[in-house]
Amino acid sequence: MKITDVARHAGVSPSTVSYALSGKRPISDDTKRRVEEAIRELGYRPHAGARALASSKSNVLALVVPLRAGIHIPVVMQFAVSVVTTARRYDHDVLLLTQEEGEEGLRRVADTALVDALILMDVQLQDPRLPLLRVLERPSVMIGFPASSEGLTCIDLDFKAAGEVCVEHLAGLGHRAVALVGSPPEVYVRQTAFAQRVVQGFTAAADRHGLASSVHPCEAASGAARKVAEQLLRDQPALTGVVVHNEPLLEPLIDAFEQLGLRVPGDLSVTAICPDELAESIRVPVTSVALPSADIGTRAVELLMRKLDGTEVPEATLLAPRLTERASTAPRNA
Amino acid sequence: MKITDVARHAGVSPSTVSYALSGKRPISDDTKRRVEEAIRELGYRPHAGARALASSKSNVLALVVPLRAGIHIPVVMQFAVSVVTTARRYDHDVLLLTQEEGEEGLRRVADTALVDALILMDVQLQDPRLPLLRVLERPSVMIGFPASSEGLTCIDLDFKAAGEVCVEHLAGLGHRAVALVGSPPEVYVRQTAFAQRVVQGFTAAADRHGLASSVHPCEAASGAARKVAEQLLRDQPALTGVVVHNEPLLEPLIDAFEQLGLRVPGDLSVTAICPDELAESIRVPVTSVALPSADIGTRAVELLMRKLDGTEVPEATLLAPRLTERASTAPRNA
DNA sequence: ATGAAAGCGCTAACAT
DNA sequence: ATGTTAGCGCTTTCAT
């Protein structure tokens, strides 16, 4: 079943069928109807490879997902799903690449014209893929910010501002000593951008408000919660505000505090940077800055589509943090 | 940079380059060397669309991932990653589809020849996609078993046997009253195959051994753990053995039992069906039947490759459960 | 062991 | 508004 079959069946030329499908030139209503009918009757589907060859567009995007330790998997899935869903709205499909394939994988799918454009997640401050992206003849969008991003397109939650907003919320409630429970150490060692930026924002805001502060990278294993809680209280006996940037640890940590005799939010206020869904599902719903995975995924695809169109897009898109107050924060005890 | 360029540069014909690349006919060592050199020097990459058109093979597999409620996301990601990794070993890429696209999505990627074959996850007992798969001209593999799978290729953990093995382990330790804490109710309502089969195996084995038993579908929200624990003890005061088939609930449930004054495994033995990684990471490492996501993903791709080769493959592949004893099970108190 | 050439099915100039 | 046709870059017969 090919386009010439459809053309014959509809009594038109192949190009007319092609144009009826693409809308790239005006077709009379009558012709269009006949073409559509022929397509339906014959169950015609254009051959993706032939299209890609003739048009130099595969209508496929590459999505590179991170697999490394310390990344919260459900967030990755949410990104992926929103990327796929949005891509489909623009008539594109999504090819899944793992980071294992590395730069060679990017080069492969780009150079073979298997994909038209690329989306990368888990960007590091000094990401080895950056030089490649700059020379690749295909547009790309990075979810996350490297140290220097000139000539590249990046989008992410403004993690620095997120760290600040959390501290400011706590400061506004009268808290004077705060701690950040961060991502697993390996995330910092890798210089993953978002983890670093939370620390920057957290520390800057704490200093600005004259709060005592400390930062604790932390394993995601929930078994670690008790130890972390104890350590925090040992290091900062005056501690009354905690910012958690570590999804799997959030609930166990709150449990651990309560088991140590600290009521949340009575004795200790807790804020988090995490998906709203998680913040809401916890026994004590947690005041949090949303990690809007779906929104970021959608906007990453939209940026890419505009780049494929030849439209200019901003190099950096930082999404402003949105803090939602829930039950885990309260004014400091007198 | 195309194949004719390489051919000219190497002083051979385009077909020779093609054959040197595919190995589909003998090439003299000397010629092969010259071709490889030309490819390297010119940085040549064959155009994926042109290949697909000429060979009627896209070298792309579709992977349909479930998004529905009650599915444990990290397990889905593990599948996806192992599918991608294995596919790459066979020189294939993976196109990511969401279940949202439904049957139309499958038809689209198959009929446009965007993919050569398909892998489906989260199969339901009466899956609406089954008839389509039977008529589709492309091979497919389902991860999971529908009610009737003639003519289709399925692979999964033998969940029925997994349920049995858990009960038998408990029975062997002298336990006489057991309960199954299952997947969220919506999973059963959807008639998702694996959840049902665990229940079958659990119940059959309990009956066979003359154990008192009960089954409790259960939300994944960890807040529900306490309620479930209390309900279990109310329903079955003699309860000493629990089988958990609900990843997110596993740890909270054990915590809840202990808070109710029941030591694990002193008073209550707990087994689970879950990834080994999860079972090991819990405070009380849990005796479990492994959910070998990576293995299943790998084998699904291997089945598909053999089908693409024209090799016959078994319609049903049930992976035997493997129970690992850990700290959460012990003989029943005298 | 290698070359020549005919497609694969579509798009997009270039007609009219 | 529609038709004609020359590719797109590769694979694979068919020759030799």
Side-chain angles (χ1 to χ4, degrees):
Chain A
M1 209 40 54
K2 38 209 227 192
I3 200 168
T4 53
D5 299 324
V6 176
R8 192 175 334 106
H9 194 269
V12 299
S13 75
S15 59
T16 297
V17 176
S18 175
Y19 286 118
L21 243 29
S22 69
K24 287 191 183 171
R25 83 180 184 188
I27 301 282
S28 74
D29 285 357
D30 183 56
T31 308
K32 183 178 289 172
R33 203 187 33 67
R34 296 218 318 284
V35 169
E36 280 162 0
E37 204 170 300
I39 289 177
R40 226 176 342 88
E41 281 175 16
L42 301 181
Y44 166 74
R45 299 276 195 169
H47 187 287
R51 272 196 151 165
L53 179 55
S55 67
S56 346
K57 283 180 195 340
S58 67
N59 274 34
V60 175
L61 309 179
L63 174 66
V64 187
V65 300
L67 294 177
R68 298 190 281 201
I71 303 285
H72 187 57
I73 298 295
V75 168
V76 174
M77 267 303 274
Q78 260 206 292
F79 270 120
V81 166
S82 90
V83 165
V84 171
T85 305
T86 309
R88 286 302 308 138
R89 287 216 312 272
Y90 290 92
D91 196 31
H92 281 246
D93 277 284
V94 175
L95 200 77
L96 187 62
L97 298 183
T98 64
Q99 234 152 26
E100 263 181 358
E101 282 221 65
E103 298 152 70
E104 166 57 17
L106 298 185
R107 183 164 251 136
R108 182 176 58 80
V109 297
D111 288 353
T112 61
L114 186 48
V115 307
D116 297 333
L118 306 99
I119 298 181
L120 312 201
M121 299 182 59
D122 192 28
V123 177
Q124 300 176 236
L125 283 178
Q126 308 296 334
D127 201 296
R129 300 167 298 184
L130 299 184
L132 178 58
L133 292 181
R134 293 189 219 264
V135 303
L136 234 46
E137 68 286 20
R138 315 217 171 259
S140 56
V141 168
M142 323 184 67
I143 294 175
F145 281 80
S148 84
S149 59
E150 306 96 82
L152 299 170
T153 306
C154 305
I155 180 170
D156 209 349
L157 173 64
D158 187 339
F159 278 101
K160 183 157 179 286
E164 289 174 336
V165 164
C166 286
V167 170
E168 269 148 19
H169 177 69
L170 293 172
L173 291 169
H175 297 279
R176 305 297 301 157
V178 296
L180 171 66
V181 175
S183 301
E186 56 265 38
V187 172
Y188 293 94
V189 169
R190 275 207 313 272
Q191 297 258 312
T192 300
F194 73 96
Q196 310 267 315
R197 294 188 198 278
V198 170
V199 174
Q200 285 169 25
F202 171 86
T203 306
D207 291 354
R208 206 159 50 230
H209 289 270
L211 308 188
S213 72
S214 64
V215 174
H216 304 255
C218 194
E219 292 302 335
S222 70
R226 179 67 176 248
K227 248 177 299 179
V228 177
E230 286 168 353
Q231 193 202 328
L232 284 180
L233 299 175
R234 201 177 326 113
D235 291 2
Q236 286 187 279
L239 185 71
T240 63
V242 177
V243 178
V244 181
H245 181 214
N246 184 323
E247 284 91 350
L249 208 57
L250 181 54
E251 179 150 35
L253 192 62
I254 291 178
D255 289 344
F257 283 135
E258 303 229 323
Q259 278 164 33
L260 291 172
L262 293 172
R263 296 282 112 192
V264 174
D267 304 309
L268 207 58
S269 283
V270 174
T271 77
I273 301 170
C274 70
D276 270 337
E277 201 186 7
L278 173 61
E280 287 162 0
S281 75
I282 289 178
R283 188 172 39 77
V284 182
V286 177
T287 296
S288 71
V289 168
L291 189 59
S293 326
D295 187 30
I296 295 174
T298 297
R299 298 179 61 158
V301 172
E302 286 167 352
L303 285 169
L304 219 36
M305 290 301 145
R306 286 167 55 199
K307 289 181 91 169
L308 284 170
D309 276 359
T311 313
E312 284 293 313
V313 302
E315 291 201 347
T317 306
L318 276 173
L319 302 183
R322 196 175 42 70
L323 182 138
T324 303
E325 287 194 54
R326 299 198 181 82
S328 67
T329 49
R332 183 167 68 118
N333 280 337
Chain B
M1 211 37 58
K2 38 210 228 190
I3 200 169
T4 53
D5 299 324
V6 176
R8 193 175 334 107
H9 195 268
V12 299
S13 76
S15 57
T16 297
V17 175
S18 176
Y19 284 118
L21 243 28
S22 69
K24 287 189 183 172
R25 85 180 183 189
I27 300 283
S28 74
D29 286 356
D30 182 55
T31 308
K32 183 179 288 171
R33 202 186 32 67
R34 294 217 319 283
V35 169
E36 281 163 0
E37 203 171 299
I39 289 177
R40 228 178 339 88
E41 281 176 16
L42 301 181
Y44 167 73
R45 300 276 196 169
H47 187 286
R51 273 195 151 165
L53 179 55
S55 68
S56 342
K57 283 180 196 341
S58 68
N59 274 34
V60 175
L61 310 179
L63 174 66
V64 187
V65 300
L67 293 177
R68 297 190 280 202
I71 303 283
H72 187 58
I73 298 294
V75 169
V76 174
M77 266 303 274
Q78 259 205 293
F79 270 121
V81 167
S82 90
V83 165
V84 171
T85 305
T86 310
R88 285 304 307 141
R89 287 216 311 271
Y90 291 91
D91 197 30
H92 282 247
D93 276 284
V94 175
L95 200 78
L96 187 61
L97 298 183
T98 64
Q99 235 153 26
E100 263 180 358
E101 282 220 64
E103 297 151 71
E104 165 58 17
L106 298 185
R107 182 164 253 137
R108 181 175 59 81
V109 297
D111 288 352
T112 61
L114 186 47
V115 306
D116 296 333
L118 306 99
I119 298 180
L120 312 201
M121 300 182 59
D122 192 28
V123 177
Q124 299 176 236
L125 283 178
Q126 308 296 334
D127 201 296
R129 300 167 298 184
L130 298 184
L132 178 59
L133 291 182
R134 292 189 220 264
V135 303
L136 234 44
E137 69 286 21
R138 315 215 171 260
S140 57
V141 168
M142 323 184 66
I143 294 175
F145 281 81
S148 84
S149 60
E150 306 95 82
L152 299 170
T153 307
C154 304
I155 178 170
D156 209 350
L157 173 64
D158 187 341
F159 278 100
K160 182 157 180 288
E164 289 175 336
V165 164
C166 286
V167 170
E168 269 147 20
H169 177 68
L170 293 171
L173 291 169
H175 298 279
R176 306 296 303 156
V178 297
L180 172 66
V181 175
S183 302
E186 58 264 38
V187 173
Y188 293 93
V189 168
R190 275 207 312 271
Q191 298 258 311
T192 300
F194 73 96
Q196 310 268 314
R197 294 190 198 278
V198 170
V199 174
Q200 284 168 25
F202 171 86
T203 306
D207 291 353
R208 204 159 53 231
H209 290 270
L211 308 188
S213 72
S214 63
V215 173
H216 304 255
C218 196
E219 292 302 337
S222 70
R226 180 65 176 250
K227 248 177 297 179
V228 177
E230 285 169 354
Q231 193 201 329
L232 284 180
L233 300 175
R234 201 177 326 113
D235 291 2
Q236 286 186 279
L239 184 72
T240 63
V242 177
V243 178
V244 181
H245 182 212
N246 185 322
E247 284 91 350
L249 207 59
L250 181 53
E251 179 150 35
L253 192 61
I254 291 178
D255 289 344
F257 284 135
E258 302 229 324
Q259 279 165 33
L260 291 171
L262 292 174
R263 296 282 113 192
V264 174
D267 304 309
L268 207 58
S269 282
V270 174
T271 77
I273 301 170
C274 71
D276 270 338
E277 202 185 6
L278 174 61
E280 289 162 358
S281 76
I282 288 178
R283 190 170 40 75
V284 182
V286 177
T287 297
S288 71
V289 168
L291 188 59
S293 327
D295 188 30
I296 295 174
T298 298
R299 297 179 63 158
V301 172
E302 286 167 352
L303 285 169
L304 219 36
M305 291 300 144
R306 286 167 55 199
K307 290 181 90 169
L308 284 170
D309 276 359
T311 313
E312 283 292 313
V313 302
E315 291 201 347
T317 306
L318 277 172
L319 302 183
R322 195 175 43 68
L323 183 137
T324 303
E325 286 194 55
R326 299 198 181 83
S328 67
T329 50
R332 185 168 67 118
N333 280 339

